[in-house]
Amino acid sequence: MTKHYDQELDSGYTMTTVMAEAARCLLCHDAPCSKACPAHTDPAKFIRSVRFRNFKGAAETIRENNALGAICARVCPTEKYCQLACARCGIDTPIDIGGIQRFVTDFEQQAKMDILEKGPSNGLKVAIVGSGPSGLQAATTLLQKGYAVDIYEQQAKAGGYLTYGIPEYRLPNDIVDFEINRILNLGATIHYNTTIGQELTLAALKTSHDAVILAIGASQAKMLPMFENNAYTETAVDFLARVKTNQGHVTVPDNVLVIGGGDVAMDVATTLKLLNVPQVTDVVYETFSEFKASKKELEATQQMGVTIIDGYVPDSINDNTVTFKHRKINGQIQVQADKIILAVGQVADAAHLDLTLENNEVPFTGYQTTDPKVFVTGDIAQGDKTVVWAVQKGKEVAETIDAVLGGH
Amino acid sequence: MINKDLSIDFLGVHFENPFCLSSSPVGNCYDMCKKAYDEGWAGVVFKTIGPEHFVVDEVSPRFDELAKEATPFVGFKNMEQIAEHSLAENLADLRRLKADYPEKVLIASIMGTNEADWTELARVVTEAGADMIEMNLSCPQMTSHEMGSDVGTNPELCQKYCAAVKKGSDLPMMAKMTPNITDMGPVAKACLAGGADGIAAINTVKSIANIDLDRKVGLPIVNGKSSISGFSGKAVKPIALRFIQQLRTTAGLEQLPISGIGGIETWEDAAEFILLGSSTLQVTTSVMQYGYRIVEDMKNGLMHYMAEQNVEHLSDLVGLANQAIIPAEALDRDYKVYPNIDWDKCIGCGRCFISCYDGAHQALTWDEDTRRPTCNTEKCVGCQLCNLVCPVGAISLGEVVMKPGRTGDVTAVEVHSSRLS
Ligand SMILES: Cc1cc2nc3c(=O)[nH]c(=O)nc-3n(C[C@H](O)[C@H](O)[C@H](O)COP(=O)(O)OP(=O)(O)OC[C@H]3O[C@@H](n4cnc5c(N)ncnc54)[C@H](O)[C@@H]3O)c2cc1C
Ligand SMILES: Cc1cc2nc3c(=O)[nH]c(=O)nc-3n(C[C@H](O)[C@H](O)[C@H](O)COP(=O)(O)O)c2cc1C
Ligand code: SF4
């Protein structure tokens, strides 16, 4: 069956198949999967609920621990966290925890469950800059604790990379919108098209709120100097945002060169294939043995028919022809393409936010900055740069603020 | 998280929820019961306490398990008798439990060999602080024929022993029934006549679960031999439910207070026992397999069920399904319902075709090219075997028709079912 960009690639479980998968779970004592989930979503508990046919209870466990449970179910690199730790690996293959989580959160949506509850107001107000996963989770935890929350987002839609980065076939926008609406319905106010540092200053937020959280992510694309002003070049995050915003209705030429070897590059290459681009070539700095992209993503990309060339760095560019040199051996290749997409990383832009960043993150652990009213979370806080960690950091920054402000 | 009141009153005792450990190794000592209370069980029926003169001497190994395909513990066979701890130790544990958990319900299960035993056991467990007594008239593997299911199938003995217990204690008392009998009614009535306040059902079903084919001995093998003994777990649920339904529909027992037991492991099982007339529920086998923690999902699931049903008090659900279970001769036999086959959902395995041919009425035809079944309504009797065997839910209840020569309004026929969708 041919797949399209706007169709979720993985088909979910049915009631029968999810029970079969849950029956594989060993129902471990002291379950390693639950210990390995960065956001404490407690897979062992929700799988047990599924096993004992308590689907609503399973949904409660997920939702109460993770305001973006349906999103994490789809995009979390579970092979690095819960599924890596799964005791079933000692027998054969780990439990498909992400798949079970997706079934449960889909069930939750169909059953129209309203699990999260706003806490009684404590009269305190927090401003959150950025509506990516970390800002959204922080907002949820604060609302549950009784804080009023204002979110400021420079884009026209909320979600950060959930909305503008991760492609539709892995994370449908209607899922993201549903999760965001749940949080807005809980009582968060969101101000769109508002860049803090431009339309509003950080100083103004500090005056109007009891605390400010900077959850700005690494939301700019990284450029390599030689590609600046090249007419054929577009950055990966710009390209992915454009395709997702237009639900795949964009025109792309027949021969595209992708540069980069992380998950973002894999997303770009797969997206191009799902847009029916015949020739997609991905040239990667790392050799296969050092690859950054998850194995799952790499394999999926290869299966799509993307040509992947490993171990080369771009050396020069002439119009639409890029010359690469091998990093270790003496050799070079030239690739000519109708379009070049640069997937070499993202950077944080903290201009006008009085924030010092080193390698796109703050140079201290924890969440409170030297300005006691200002906090950070998400990708710009130290630690892993994944959605599930953004969620956990969101919970932790909210706890930190609550401890500092003592709002109860 | 949902929070609803699951409490219920049974024989004048208040239970914070209906879930209790049934008398067995899962409630064998203070530490176990403490852990169970802490994890959310409302009550414990302590492991059956016998008279001092009866020496419990157990075999090893003592369990076996019935599996089907990859599913273990479909049913569970045990060779255990009553408490191995001394009477003094058991009473000390009861005392400590009541002192430490005054709000939880402590039920003493007892078993004697004669009237004097029963009276004395009732007296000492009452003294130790039990809230309720359960008479074990039903263990099918006792080494004495004065005890267990041999007593529980004899109404006169049951009545006499119930009276003996009432002589030794004023506590509310339930008599625990054996399913190794055709009709529980006469025994239950005899127990009530003897003074029992309610009934607990069921204890285990006499069984041989497996045979070792090389040694030609039943399992578990006890030094080369084995015995018939009690079967429990999911496989006995249908048997337990039928006894409970029958008790509740016996003339004079319509309001019989029942503590339901037998194969409960999910909130759905629990709800079924309640809908057929149980007020409290007791569990052993699934706790032995999975641990006390299963009570979390049973409680939470039952709360969600109450919310869906718009019910505020658990007692409002008790017995609601009794009235719709009627004698086979009273069922509507004027119509049949054909299967509705969804060819988009169908994956072409042909299981429905095989089952209909070999086990039903050869009403499905199989297209070898498209790998899809079609129903021949001339031959179809509407048994819905195909529906039950379909692994992907592609077959559902379809068109309802009146049988030839019968009259009636097909649109008025109610064929809904949550299993046969
Ligand atoms: C293409 C792509 C695919 C990915 N795939 C995965 C995946 O499969 N699994 C996974 O776990 N992670 C994935 N990630 C990483 C993940 O998306 C990030 O770790 C996560 O989004 C970080 O969350 P955040 O809340 O810190 O920031 P972001 O999601 O980056 O959100 C930050 C928000 O702040 C806003 N903002 C920034 N500055 C301002 C300002 N001054 N004023 C107002 N608003 C501002 C931005 O517009 C944005 O909406 C992927 C990333 C990309 C780019
Ligand atoms: C190992 C084992 C020991 C048991 N011991 C007792 C007992 O001492 N007294 C009693 O009344 N029932 C005893 N039972 C029966 C259980 O209490 C219960 O009635 C039966 O197992 C059915 O419930 P279940 O399917 O939840 O296990 C025992 C059951 C098992 C499996
Ligand atoms: S570690 Fe694996 S097998 Fe164990 S509880 Fe978690 S999912 Fe189940």
Side-chain angles (χ1 to χ4, degrees):
Chain A
M1 197 171 69
T2 51
K3 293 276 186 175
H4 298 283
Y5 172 80
D6 59 357
Q7 277 178 343
E8 213 168 343
L9 274 186
D10 277 345
S11 43
Y13 285 117
T14 64
M15 190 60 95
T16 315
T17 55
V18 81
M19 289 308 295
E21 186 60 15
R24 290 180 62 241
C25 171
L26 305 172
L27 305 179
C28 298
H29 172 59
D30 223 3
C33 56
S34 287
K35 288 187 182 161
C37 174
H40 308 296
T41 314
D42 208 350
K45 184 156 163 52
F46 73 72
I47 297 171
R48 174 150 54 91
S49 291
V50 169
R51 168 79 157 259
F52 292 106
R53 302 184 54 82
N54 181 16
F55 300 103
K56 290 189 170 177
E60 286 175 342
T61 298
I62 295 170
R63 187 59 60 195
E64 278 164 8
N65 292 313
N66 186 335
L68 303 176
I71 292 169
C72 280
R74 289 169 167 83
V75 304
C76 191
T78 47
E79 74 280 2
K80 287 203 273 186
Y81 302 128
C82 54
Q83 291 182 197
L84 179 66
C86 175
R88 179 92 205 193
C89 296
I91 302 177
D92 43 32
T93 51
I95 306 307
D96 176 15
I97 296 174
I100 296 178
Q101 183 168 332
R102 172 169 161 198
F103 177 88
V104 172
T105 51
D106 285 352
F107 172 90
E108 173 197 19
Q109 185 175 339
Q110 276 151 24
K112 299 194 166 54
M113 290 180 74
D114 241 336
I115 297 167
L116 298 177
E117 279 174 34
K118 190 176 171 171
S121 168
N122 62 12
L124 296 167
K125 255 169 93 177
V126 178
I128 300 178
V129 184
S131 64
S134 212
L136 291 170
Q137 176 66 55
T140 307
T141 307
L142 288 167
L143 288 162
Q144 287 175 307
K145 290 178 177 296
Y147 290 82
V149 171
D150 279 309
I151 304 175
Y152 298 88
E153 171 54 57
Q154 67 187 10
Q155 301 286 351
K157 284 191 76 180
Y161 279 139
L162 308 176
T163 300
Y164 291 105
I166 305 178
E168 184 76 14
Y169 60 83
R170 289 207 291 126
L171 181 60
N173 250 332
D174 54 2
I175 298 288
V176 178
D177 291 346
F178 200 90
E179 303 260 277
I180 292 173
N181 281 331
R182 199 198 303 276
I183 296 165
L184 297 183
N185 289 340
L186 203 60
T189 311
I190 183 154
H191 310 268
Y192 296 105
N193 302 310
T194 310
T195 308
I196 302 306
Q198 288 177 24
E199 282 87 3
L200 258 176
T201 62
L202 180 63
L205 289 190
K206 278 164 58 185
T207 316
S208 51
H209 293 78
D210 298 288
V212 180
I213 302 177
L214 302 177
I216 57 174
S219 41
Q220 310 282 316
K222 190 165 151 191
M223 244 304 158
L224 296 177
M226 78 179 86
F227 292 89
E228 264 165 40
N229 306 320
N230 176 284
Y232 296 90
T233 302
E234 184 175 11
T235 63
V237 288
D238 287 347
F239 170 73
L240 291 172
R242 190 159 63 84
V243 180
K244 200 167 189 188
T245 315
N246 291 297
Q247 288 293 293
H249 300 292
V250 294
T251 41
V252 263
D254 282 353
N255 171 12
V256 182
L257 168 65
V258 182
I259 300 175
D263 286 327
V264 175
M266 298 304 121
D267 278 345
V268 170
T270 305
T271 298
L272 288 165
K273 275 294 173 192
L274 291 170
L275 296 175
N276 296 317
V277 174
Q279 183 55 52
V280 180
T281 312
D282 182 16
V283 181
V284 183
Y285 175 89
E286 290 85 12
T287 56
F288 279 124
S289 59
E290 321 159 318
F291 236 57
K292 277 199 198 140
S294 76
K295 218 172 142 196
K296 197 168 102 192
E297 294 254 332
L298 172 63
E299 277 167 8
T301 312
Q302 280 172 322
Q303 264 170 23
M304 290 269 170
V306 173
T307 306
I308 302 183
I309 302 171
D310 65 327
Y312 284 89
V313 271
D315 186 59
S316 63
I317 180 166
N318 183 3
D319 259 2
N320 61 347
T321 304
V322 185
T323 306
F324 295 88
K325 281 207 164 127
H326 198 277
R327 278 168 52 224
K328 296 184 178 157
I329 56 175
N330 195 4
Q332 68 173 42
I333 51 168
Q334 269 188 350
V335 181
Q336 190 179 48
D338 304 329
K339 181 172 180 64
I340 301 163
I341 300 179
L342 206 54
V344 294
Q346 289 74 242
V347 292
D349 176 11
H352 315 296
L353 295 176
D354 301 333
L355 194 66
T356 319
L357 297 177
E358 286 169 17
N359 290 328
N360 301 305
E361 60 178 33
V362 292
F364 55 86
T365 55
Y367 303 101
Q368 196 172 21
T369 68
T370 46
D371 180 338
K373 254 193 155 181
V374 179
F375 299 78
V376 293
T377 188
D379 275 2
I380 61 164
Q382 289 195 356
D384 282 20
K385 316 296 180 206
T386 54
V387 175
V388 69
W389 266 107
V391 166
Q392 179 60 14
K393 292 173 189 175
K395 288 198 279 187
E396 288 177 7
V397 74
E399 296 294 345
T400 309
I401 289 179
D402 194 45
V404 171
L405 296 184
H408 43 249
Chain B
M1 199 166 76
I2 192 166
N3 197 8
K4 277 187 100 66
D5 179 10
L6 286 179
S7 70
I8 193 158
D9 291 334
F10 178 63
L11 308 185
V13 178
H14 185 71
F15 290 72
E16 66 181 47
N17 65 57
F19 297 105
C20 305
L21 300 180
S22 72
S23 178
S24 76
V26 300
N28 212 357
C29 63
Y30 175 87
D31 288 341
M32 295 175 88
C33 299
K34 173 183 166 48
K35 185 174 176 213
Y37 282 150
D38 290 342
E39 294 196 18
W41 295 83
V44 166
V45 187
F46 200 83
K47 175 73 182 170
T48 303
I49 300 172
E52 221 147 359
H53 64 79
F54 178 76
V55 181
V56 181
D57 193 8
E58 297 290 16
V59 296
S60 167
R62 57 180 86 159
F63 303 132
D64 189 28
E65 164 246 5
L66 181 72
K68 184 169 157 54
E69 289 108 30
T71 308
F73 272 75
V74 171
F76 183 66
K77 172 183 155 93
N78 88 87
M79 296 284 307
E80 244 192 49
Q81 305 184 75
I82 58 178
E84 285 182 90
H85 299 139
S86 73
L87 179 60
E89 285 170 316
N90 288 326
L91 294 175
D93 280 357
L94 292 183
R95 242 176 240 116
R96 220 174 129 203
L97 282 167
K98 197 64 228 173
D100 293 352
Y101 293 91
E103 301 301 314
K104 299 275 187 175
V105 181
L106 182 60
I107 302 166
S109 169
I110 56 173
M111 183 195 276
T113 58
N114 54 41
E115 284 173 280
D117 279 355
W118 284 103
T119 305
E120 176 60 11
L121 286 167
R123 195 184 63 74
V124 292
V125 298
T126 307
E127 221 174 64
D131 300 302
M132 198 183 275
I133 292 175
E134 180 176 279
M135 289 176 65
N136 181 346
L137 298 166
S138 41
C139 177
Q141 60 258 2
M142 296 305 295
T143 51
S144 155
H145 296 287
E146 331 292 18
M147 299 171 98
S149 60
D150 288 346
V151 175
T153 46
N154 179 332
E156 292 80 44
L157 272 182
C158 288
Q159 178 165 354
K160 200 164 78 173
Y161 291 159
C162 286
V165 166
K166 277 291 168 179
K167 212 169 117 194
S169 169
D170 303 331
L171 290 180
M173 184 272 278
M174 51 184 165
K176 184 167 176 181
M177 300 286 106
T178 175
N180 301 299
I181 192 170
T182 317
D183 182 359
M184 230 175 237
V187 179
K189 283 186 164 171
C191 290
L192 296 176
D197 303 291
I199 293 296
I202 59 172
N203 206 316
T204 52
V205 182
K206 286 187 184 180
S207 70
I208 295 171
N210 297 289
I211 304 272
D212 180 314
L213 297 182
D214 291 330
R215 293 176 187 81
K216 299 165 190 71
V217 188
L219 295 175
I221 299 178
V222 179
N223 193 13
K225 297 285 191 307
S226 75
S227 281
I228 288 174
S229 74
F231 199 56
S232 58
K234 198 77 165 194
V236 310
K237 184 188 81 168
I239 299 170
L241 290 176
R242 89 96 164 155
F243 276 117
I244 290 171
Q245 157 68 8
Q246 270 187 331
L247 283 176
R248 273 273 182 154
T249 44
T250 299
L253 299 183
E254 294 84 354
Q255 297 304 316
L256 180 69
I258 296 175
S259 187
I261 320 168
I264 300 173
E265 60 183 47
T266 68
W267 66 270
E268 291 172 329
D269 301 327
E272 290 170 342
F273 276 83
I274 293 169
L275 292 172
L276 287 177
S278 309
S279 298
T280 61
L281 306 163
Q282 301 184 25
V283 184
T284 283
T285 304
S286 56
V287 172
M288 291 181 76
Q289 191 187 2
Y290 299 112
Y292 300 127
R293 58 189 176 163
I294 60 169
V295 78
E296 293 165 20
D297 282 303
M298 292 202 286
K299 279 164 56 183
N300 182 274
L302 200 54
M303 288 181 195
H304 282 294
Y305 177 64
M306 284 172 70
E308 286 160 19
Q309 299 295 314
N310 263 317
V311 164
E312 284 310 318
H313 305 284
L314 197 59
S315 53
D316 294 343
L317 290 171
V318 174
L320 289 188
N322 287 119
Q323 47 87 27
I325 293 178
I326 58 174
E329 64 271 22
L331 291 171
D332 182 353
R333 289 163 189 274
D334 290 336
Y335 73 93
K336 58 181 174 175
V337 51
Y338 294 130
N340 177 38
I341 305 173
D342 182 338
W343 281 357
D344 290 330
K345 275 194 188 167
C346 173
I347 52 165
C349 68
R351 287 284 301 274
C352 55
F353 171 72
I354 293 173
S355 284
C356 183
Y357 202 99
D358 298 2
H361 295 81
Q362 304 82 46
L364 293 182
T365 49
W366 180 248
D367 184 323
E368 288 184 8
D369 296 324
T370 59
R371 298 193 63 82
R372 291 292 178 273
T374 313
C375 180
N376 174 354
T377 51
E378 300 273 284
K379 286 182 161 181
C380 176
V381 298
C383 70
Q384 299 286 336
L385 178 64
C386 51
N387 179 335
L388 286 174
V389 298
C390 177
V392 292
I395 304 184
S396 56
L397 296 171
E399 191 194 357
V400 178
V401 296
M402 297 314 282
K403 287 180 185 167
R406 311 288 177 85
T407 51
D409 176 6
V410 290
T411 58
V413 177
E414 222 192 299
V415 289
H416 305 288
S417 152
S418 65
R419 303 264 164 186
L420 297 167
S421 55

